[in-house]
Amino acid sequence: MARAVSTRRKITFTVIAWVIGIAIFFPILWTILTSFKTEGEAIASPPSFLFFDWTLENYTTVQERSNYFLHFWNSVVISLGSTVLGLIIAIPAAWSMAFVPGKRTKDVLMWMLSTKMLPPVGVLIPIYLLFRDAGLLDTRTGLVVVLTLMNLPIIVWMLYTYFREIPGEILEAARMDGAGLREEIIYILTPMAVPGIASTLLLNVILAWNEAFWTLNLTAANAAPLTAFIASYSSPEGLFYAKLSAASTMAIAPILILGWFSQKQLVRGLTFGAVK
Amino acid sequence: MATEHSRATARLMISPAVLLLLAWMIVPLALTLYFSFLRYNLLMPGMEEWAGFLNYKFFLTDPAFFSAVWKTLELVGGVLIITVVGGILLALLLDQQFWGQGAVRILVIAPFFVMPTVSALVWKNMFMNPVNGLFAYLAKVFGLPPFDFLAQAPMLSIIMIVAWEWLPFATLILLTALQSLDSEQLEAAEMDGASFISRFFYIVLPHLSRAITVVILIQTIFLLSTFAEILVTTNGGPGTATTNLTYLVYVQSLLQFDVGGGSAGGVVAIILANIVAIFLMRMIGKNLDA
Amino acid sequence: MSAITLKNVTKRFGDVTVIPGIDLSIEDGEFVVFVGPSGCGKSTLLRLIAGLEDVSAGVIDIDGADVTGTAPAKRGLAMVFQSYALYPHMSVAGNIGFPLRMAGESKEAIDKKVRAAAATLNLTDYLHRKPRELSGGQRQRVAIGRAIVREPKGFLFDEPLSNLDAALRVNMRLELSELHAQLKTTMIYVTHDQVEAMTMADKIVVLNRGHIEQVGSPLTLYNKPDNLFVAGFIGSPKMNFLGPTYAKEHGAATVGVRPEHIKISKESGLIKGTAGVAEHLGSDTFVHVHVAPDQMITVRTSGDSVLRHGDTVWLTPDEDRLHRFDAQGKAIR
Ligand SMILES: Nc1ncnc2c1ncn2[C@@H]1O[C@H](COP(=O)(O)OP(=O)(O)O)[C@@H](O)[C@H]1O
Ligand SMILES: [Mg+2]
């Protein structure tokens, strides 16, 4: 579409697009702004947009009252832990499927994806009971295990599509040049796949960070990540908009930033390659 | 690339992933299925007994069940309509030339990265609250009475919240598909005298049909399991106005401790999801061959 | 010393037999070309020799040692792939030095050998570049460099020139022949282009559907093809095959004659025809003559031929240079 467009047309579209873009983004913007207000100003009528006394007190209050950073840290551990563990299991599997495809490779891949389509509520009870008996309820370990398994199909799938773009001849060349399997993976495959592995990591950290079924059902005070911590604001006492906003801003900021880097991978990872 | 040696290695390297997923799938599924045939309440441990199809009978004759299935469909359908139509329009808009394309794209995509509990609570309190919410304020400005969204139109409100979360996903995928459309095709149609509307219906829409199907199928899979948004806004209420199947199973098993009944509900949820999954898998599989 | 011997080498992919059993011996220092139409199993055979695929049956010997079960890296062979298969994240120096690094050689030794190879291949100025910053011909040379630094027992080439444009291809053909003359190492070269085979090979192996049709020097294949397939495949323009009546007179099922062994005249001759398109190459002219509604004979004549489209002409094959084949397509000698 490298066609010259009349300036008037371009101006019109610029205005429409920005108005709609800001409207869609507005709830996030409003949350961020509110987090810097006092509780009084947060519910002021008419609402103040930019001209209020900016304060950081909500951020400190949230931390003091509820040990915010414990939950933040839980989110970090759970999302990174489950993703890294998933990658360690998935890289060899994706290598096998991409470079030594057999008759059943496609079936295995499809079967892995089908496990992702299992509704979590269908296995909630057994997992809950197994975790209860194993003492894994409300532990970070337990959540790391569940989220690793939850996201493993997506991780395998994404890596597979990235690995498949690496020509097999290059790995064969390495083999002819005297590289064993270990050298082949360390010196050739991994460096070539770094962008793909990084994208996979990024998308899965995002998915794990925002996961809100298992985190809500399997945790309580100790291992609750931010999803579950924020949920505790659903039954508030007194004025709480500004504090909710501060907690929310901190909870979504890291992922918003990561997310902006991962737009392309998002399509690839979440459509399982069905849309390119 | 395939010697006996490398094949043996490959089997070894794929087995951890396969075994783990197999365990993850089979063990809980078998247990859910097993529990669904038991009379099993967590408040009465040791009293489990075989119940046959009794749980299913109770569950399937319970008016709450049909209501939940209906609410599930309502939620999925409502969100799909908003996101697909909105997504197509937004994708068409973002595909135009204007200043700050990248920035607007980022603004539009942002909601997808907001965790469900945050978006639900922000919408519930800061926008939909009948006293302090921004919508109430806007109503006042226009001289209208405030509207209590979550009490008076609970399902619609939840649909709006969830649609806001998923609109970026639909937009992004449809935009990707749109950008793969050969612009010469459109120019040829323009030369042939096709208007904007007919170009949209005869060229753009057919080109997008595949992506639209994918959006519908994938969102359906995720939307069938909507949970957090309901938990933090309405708790399934008022009454059972927003209790979908996922929430019903949660209430049954973890709030009322009826493992047997909850499991039967879980099995039903799995069957429903599988119906959608079959179509999705078929599409993905076709693409894998290409 | 590096003679390679194949004994009854067989390859099946599932139920499909791609190579039904091949016996072949390649002498030390020979430049051997496997030639045949696409899909006939040339690459498969090469990969079996390389060890990138397992044989389904049969034995491969290198220098008298059975290497049938040996890993590719331990066979001492180097391979140049059609796509070059350069490592995109390594510089030219890194690519060429990789086999040495894998062999555990010291940094200084690697550096010295890489420089020597780069000098031979005119790559000295590009050592720090990444493959994507090189032209097709340069990439090709890096791939060759990576193969020669190891001083392998033999080189395997799989259609290495097919991604280059025509002019460059002629150049690289000469360079490869030059390289072989210098190194005197055994080379096995796979191509579907019979011109490459004819110009480079000491020995050509003509493959067809996984079978060897004939093995011999380029001129042997050209002058004494064993069968119809070889006769038709080797030579450009192709050998002409004459009709059954003419063949019967010479006691054969089919008779072939090369374009340069037919006399063309406007006055008299054995076969009457109509001149069609004439291709003027300057040194020669190829005239395509219609002798029957569905039969055309190509004749090679002098560069200054003045035949015009539609002229009536007479053709006379040289009786001494006929190739006669029996009903099974075998040459009658
Ligand atoms: N990995 C494989 N699996 C199944 N069939 C194969 C495989 N590799 C090659 N083939 C088949 O073997 C035949 C020979 O292939 P190849 O050796 O690549 O031919 P060439 O190099 O002569 O063009 C082809 O019909 C091809 O389809
Ligand atoms: Mg080939």
Side-chain angles (χ1 to χ4, degrees):
Chain A
M1 283 292 212
R3 210 158 43 148
V5 172
S6 75
T7 314
R8 240 187 78 191
R9 189 182 145 110
K10 204 166 168 179
I11 290 174
T12 318
F13 275 115
T14 305
V15 172
I16 300 176
W18 275 95
V19 167
I20 292 180
I22 289 172
I24 290 175
F25 187 73
F26 188 75
I28 299 172
L29 180 66
W30 193 244
T31 308
I32 297 171
L33 288 176
T34 307
S35 74
F36 294 108
K37 297 176 183 175
T38 59
E39 290 295 1
E41 255 164 333
I43 56 166
S45 178
S48 43
F49 195 68
L50 285 174
F51 305 102
F52 52 83
D53 293 326
W54 291 64
T55 169
L56 286 173
E57 79 181 54
N58 299 305
Y59 287 91
T60 46
T61 321
V62 165
Q63 163 59 13
E64 278 161 17
R65 280 219 210 137
S66 52
N67 200 3
Y68 182 86
F69 284 103
L70 169 72
H71 304 296
F72 189 86
W73 182 240
N74 285 341
S75 273
V76 171
V77 170
I78 290 166
S79 57
L80 265 182
S82 66
T83 304
V84 170
L85 191 60
L87 279 173
I88 292 171
I89 301 167
I91 289 179
W95 177 89
S96 301
M97 293 196 282
F99 298 117
V100 195
K103 264 185 250 127
R104 285 188 304 269
T105 297
K106 198 186 137 183
D107 298 330
V108 171
L109 203 56
M110 296 302 282
W111 166 75
M112 284 189 175
L113 281 187
S114 74
T115 64
K116 180 73 201 156
M117 309 200 174
L118 196 66
V121 73
V123 291
L124 170 65
I125 297 162
I127 297 288
Y128 185 88
L129 295 178
L130 288 172
F131 270 43
R132 186 194 61 183
D133 297 343
L136 284 172
L137 280 182
D138 200 20
T139 63
R140 290 193 291 238
T141 318
L143 269 190
V144 166
V145 169
V146 168
L147 292 192
T148 300
L149 291 165
M150 276 281 292
N151 287 336
L152 193 56
I154 294 190
I155 300 180
V156 171
W157 176 268
M158 282 185 75
L159 288 176
Y160 170 77
T161 62
Y162 284 113
F163 284 2
R164 230 170 39 147
E165 285 170 8
I166 296 172
E169 278 195 351
I170 289 186
L171 300 188
E172 291 183 341
R175 228 168 286 166
M176 291 296 293
D177 285 345
L181 180 65
R182 210 170 61 90
E183 288 87 6
E184 184 185 319
I185 291 187
I186 295 176
Y187 294 115
I188 309 294
L189 179 65
T190 311
M192 285 183 72
V194 159
I197 294 175
S199 318
T200 309
L201 183 113
L202 205 59
L203 180 63
N204 280 281
V205 167
I206 294 172
L207 290 179
W209 185 278
N210 287 343
E211 204 286 331
F213 181 80
W214 294 110
T215 50
L216 289 174
N217 280 309
L218 297 182
T219 63
N222 292 326
L226 289 170
T227 43
F229 167 68
I230 300 281
S232 68
Y233 278 88
S234 62
S235 44
E237 306 123 32
L239 289 177
F240 72 109
Y241 282 17
K243 284 190 276 296
L244 167 66
S245 297
S248 297
T249 303
M250 285 192 283
I252 62 178
I255 266 1
L256 272 182
I257 293 162
L258 286 186
W260 288 336
F261 290 117
S262 72
Q263 297 174 34
K264 274 268 143 55
Q265 293 71 270
L266 191 75
V267 174
R268 188 170 181 150
L270 286 181
T271 62
F272 308 112
V275 170
K276 293 218 178 81
Chain B
M1 158 62 64
T3 59
E4 223 11 81
H5 178 71
S6 60
R7 235 176 249 130
T9 316
R11 266 196 295 274
L12 194 69
M13 304 219 318
I14 203 175
S15 35
V18 169
L19 293 179
L20 282 172
L21 278 176
L22 205 61
W24 166 242
M25 187 149 132
I26 296 222
V27 174
L29 263 189
L31 283 174
T32 300
L33 208 57
Y34 171 64
F35 290 156
S36 73
F37 290 108
L38 290 187
R39 185 193 305 273
Y40 182 2
N41 194 306
L42 288 181
L43 295 180
M44 298 175 280
M47 301 275 286
E48 296 90 65
E49 57 182 67
W50 189 253
F53 283 94
L54 206 61
N55 286 318
Y56 288 95
K57 210 170 136 197
F58 274 130
F59 204 84
L60 294 177
T61 52
D62 186 352
F65 167 74
F66 288 101
S67 154
V69 169
W70 178 243
K71 298 292 171 192
T72 306
L73 297 179
E74 216 175 296
L75 177 61
V76 172
V79 173
L80 282 180
I81 290 170
I82 298 175
T83 54
V84 170
V85 173
I88 292 174
L89 294 176
L90 271 174
L92 285 174
L93 179 65
L94 292 180
D95 197 35
Q96 304 297 322
Q97 287 184 25
F98 58 86
W99 286 290
Q101 241 175 344
V104 172
R105 208 176 133 125
I106 285 172
L107 293 181
V108 170
I109 289 165
F112 190 74
F113 301 114
V114 177
M115 52 179 63
T117 43
V118 165
S119 58
L121 282 179
V122 164
W123 277 99
K124 173 188 176 184
N125 292 301
M126 290 157 61
F127 288 86
M128 293 175 169
N129 185 290
V131 183
N132 295 321
L134 268 188
F135 289 158
Y137 171 73
L138 283 181
K140 206 169 83 185
V141 168
F142 290 107
L144 298 169
F147 187 73
D148 190 350
F149 286 86
L150 286 162
Q152 283 166 279
M155 189 43 107
L156 189 67
S157 306
I158 287 181
I159 288 175
M160 274 175 57
I161 296 171
V162 178
W164 179 76
E165 293 172 350
W166 283 94
L167 186 60
F169 174 79
T171 306
L172 203 54
I173 285 171
L174 294 171
L175 182 61
T176 309
L178 197 59
Q179 283 169 343
S180 72
L181 176 61
D182 178 12
S183 67
E184 282 183 8
Q185 235 186 77
L186 282 175
E187 282 164 8
E190 209 174 335
M191 296 295 288
D192 292 342
S195 67
F196 179 82
I197 299 290
S198 46
R199 265 177 293 163
F200 176 76
F201 280 104
Y202 291 108
I203 296 174
V204 177
L205 209 54
H207 176 78
L208 288 183
S209 61
R210 188 188 157 76
I212 292 173
T213 317
V214 170
V215 167
I216 291 177
L217 293 173
I218 290 176
Q219 286 199 25
T220 306
I221 296 281
F222 282 97
L223 294 174
L224 284 175
S225 302
T226 305
F227 173 75
E229 291 86 348
I230 298 172
L231 179 76
V232 299
T233 52
T234 62
N235 272 313
T240 56
T242 54
T243 299
N244 68 353
L245 201 51
T246 299
Y247 200 81
L248 180 67
V249 174
Y250 159 79
V251 170
Q252 193 100 15
S253 47
L254 294 195
L255 298 186
Q256 296 171 8
F257 304 106
D258 177 6
V259 170
S263 296
V267 171
V268 174
I270 291 170
I271 292 170
L272 277 184
N274 272 343
I275 295 172
V276 183
I278 286 170
F279 288 103
L280 180 56
M281 298 297 288
R282 215 175 267 169
M283 286 198 65
I284 295 170
K286 261 193 209 131
N287 225 48
L288 209 54
D289 295 329
Chain C
M1 263 299 283
S2 46
I4 299 170
T5 316
L6 311 185
K7 289 174 205 146
N8 187 33
V9 166
T10 306
K11 180 64 185 174
R12 283 182 290 270
F13 288 114
D15 306 332
V16 187
T17 303
V18 174
I19 295 176
I22 276 186
D23 294 292
L24 179 67
S25 50
I26 293 165
E27 310 299 328
D28 180 34
E30 248 182 340
F31 196 122
V32 178
V33 175
F34 294 171
V35 69
S38 281
C40 70
K42 307 177 296 285
S43 296
T44 306
L45 188 56
L46 197 70
R47 294 162 58 80
L48 290 172
I49 296 172
L52 294 170
E53 302 274 0
D54 287 334
V55 297
S56 307
V59 175
I60 300 172
D61 284 354
I62 299 179
D63 290 342
D66 182 351
V67 297
T68 316
T70 309
K74 306 246 164 66
R75 296 189 183 193
L77 302 174
M79 184 150 167
V80 175
F81 292 85
Q82 183 169 359
S83 65
Y84 316 143
L86 300 180
Y87 310 127
H89 56 293
M90 296 183 194
S91 65
V92 168
N95 266 279
I96 297 179
F98 187 72
L100 302 173
R101 210 166 122 206
M102 289 298 105
E105 299 207 15
S106 74
K107 271 216 156 60
E108 299 77 53
I110 295 178
D111 199 53
K112 216 174 105 203
K113 288 183 186 174
V114 168
R115 289 194 171 280
T120 332
L121 294 163
N122 279 328
L123 288 168
T124 309
D125 295 341
Y126 306 101
L127 277 175
H128 58 278
R129 291 214 192 159
K130 291 278 169 64
R132 64 170 176 280
E133 299 162 335
L134 300 177
S135 70
Q138 289 165 339
R139 285 180 204 178
Q140 174 71 77
R141 279 202 282 268
V142 176
I144 293 169
R146 195 170 63 185
I148 62 177
V149 280
R150 293 169 55 191
E151 296 167 12
K153 292 188 202 161
F155 290 98
L156 309 175
F157 296 94
D158 191 355
E159 311 221 10
L161 306 186
S162 59
N163 288 337
L164 301 178
D165 64 43
L168 209 49
R169 195 149 32 181
V170 175
N171 261 335
M172 286 304 302
R173 223 156 70 191
L174 292 174
E175 280 187 37
L176 279 175
S177 297
E178 191 63 42
L179 192 71
H180 180 240
Q182 272 177 35
L183 300 175
K184 302 190 175 59
T185 314
T186 312
M187 293 188 176
I188 305 180
Y189 185 104
V190 161
T191 179
H192 65 270
D193 178 355
Q194 57 94 24
V195 177
E196 273 178 29
M198 293 293 285
T199 50
M200 301 170 82
D202 293 327
K203 180 156 98 185
I204 296 180
V205 177
V206 182
L207 290 170
N208 180 27
R209 294 202 221 132
H211 291 282
I212 295 184
E213 294 282 355
Q214 191 173 359
V215 179
S217 72
L219 287 184
T220 310
L221 297 193
Y222 192 77
N223 294 324
K224 293 200 167 77
D226 273 351
N227 50 50
L228 269 177
F229 181 83
V230 177
F233 193 78
I234 301 285
S236 169
K238 282 190 183 334
M239 182 186 280
N240 297 295
F241 294 105
L242 303 175
T245 3
Y246 186 81
K248 224 170 254 153
E249 286 170 26
H250 290 85
T254 317
V255 164
V257 60
R258 298 219 178 261
E260 63 267 36
H261 299 143
I262 301 176
K263 242 186 22 236
I264 187 164
S265 155
K266 289 174 97 165
E267 286 87 39
S268 63
L270 196 60
I271 307 163
K272 188 185 168 195
T274 313
V277 173
E279 295 174 296
H280 295 278
L281 301 184
S283 55
D284 310 292
T285 303
F286 297 119
V287 186
H288 301 279
V289 179
H290 300 274
V291 293
D294 57 348
Q295 199 189 359
M296 200 158 69
I297 290 182
T298 307
V299 182
R300 175 168 150 193
T301 173
S302 67
D304 46 13
S305 158
V306 290
L307 284 172
R308 274 191 307 199
H309 198 278
D311 285 355
T312 300
V313 293
W314 296 87
L315 306 178
T316 316
D318 180 348
E319 301 268 324
D320 297 335
R321 313 296 290 262
L322 294 181
H323 300 270
R324 299 183 304 142
F325 301 96
D326 64 18
Q328 280 73 48
K330 277 223 161 40
I332 306 172
R333 293 240 165 84

